[in-house]
């Protein structure tokens, strides 16, 4: 799969994982693991980038004597998920066209 496409898919998966409730790194990985594999070394740069883009906010919370970062999706993050869904519908239309043409040869 093209790197840029996979990057976009990972972004949307991370945003979706925290849509219902705020979450932290390890829990985000566990939430999306049944659908796509992501390591901590991949996740944290994604979280940082999404935060810099205003798609999520970070809240430090004390946990067992250390600080755990909880991530919260913003309105812009929710809008990004909806944009993805609209783009995906367009992609599926193109896929159906290509698939139909190839199979009808």
């Amino acid at each position: 799969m093209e790197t840029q496409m996979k990057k976009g898919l990972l972004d949307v998966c991370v945003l979706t994982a925290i849509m219902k409730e705020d979450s932290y790194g390890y829990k985000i990985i566990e939430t999306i693991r049944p659908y796509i594999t992501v390591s901590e070394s991949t996740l944290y740069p994604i979280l940082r980038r999404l935060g810099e883009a205003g798609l999520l906010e970070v809240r430090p919370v004390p946990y067992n004597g250390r600080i755990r970062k909880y991530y919260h999706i913003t309105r812009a993050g929710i809008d990004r998920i909806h944009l993805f869904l609209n783009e995906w519908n367009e992609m599926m239309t193109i896929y159906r066209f290509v698939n139909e043409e190839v199979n009808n040869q």
Side-chain angles (χ1 to χ4, degrees), residues 1-11 13 35-37 84 88 91:
M1 179 181 297
E2 183 185 330
T3 304
Q4 282 303 109
M5 183 181 286
K6 188 168 184 177
K7 180 179 171 184
L9 292 173
L10 284 170
D11 288 359
C13 286
Y35 310 100
I36 192 166
T37 302
F84 166 80
W88 194 256
M91 182 70 85

Side-chain angles (χ1 to χ4, degrees), residues 16-28:
T16 302
I18 63 172
M19 198 166 75
K20 289 184 182 176
E21 65 180 348
D22 295 355
S23 192
Y24 55 93
Y26 181 76
K27 186 175 179 190
I28 293 168

Side-chain angles (χ1 to χ4, degrees), residues 40-92:
E40 288 183 34
S41 63
T42 300
L43 176 66
Y44 288 105
I46 291 170
L47 291 169
R48 189 171 26 263
R49 187 171 65 302
L50 294 174
E52 290 169 358
L55 303 177
L56 56 80
E57 297 170 340
V58 183
R59 177 175 42 95
V61 176
Y63 177 79
N64 286 343
R66 58 190 182 103
I67 300 296
R68 177 183 275 175
K69 292 180 181 179
Y70 275 80
Y71 298 91
H72 173 79
I73 193 167
T74 63
R75 180 73 235 169
I78 292 169
D79 291 345
R80 177 63 189 102
I81 292 170
H82 290 289
L83 177 62
F84 166 80
L85 292 172
N86 289 335
E87 290 171 342
W88 194 256
N89 286 332
E90 183 179 343
M91 182 70 85
M92 290 304 299

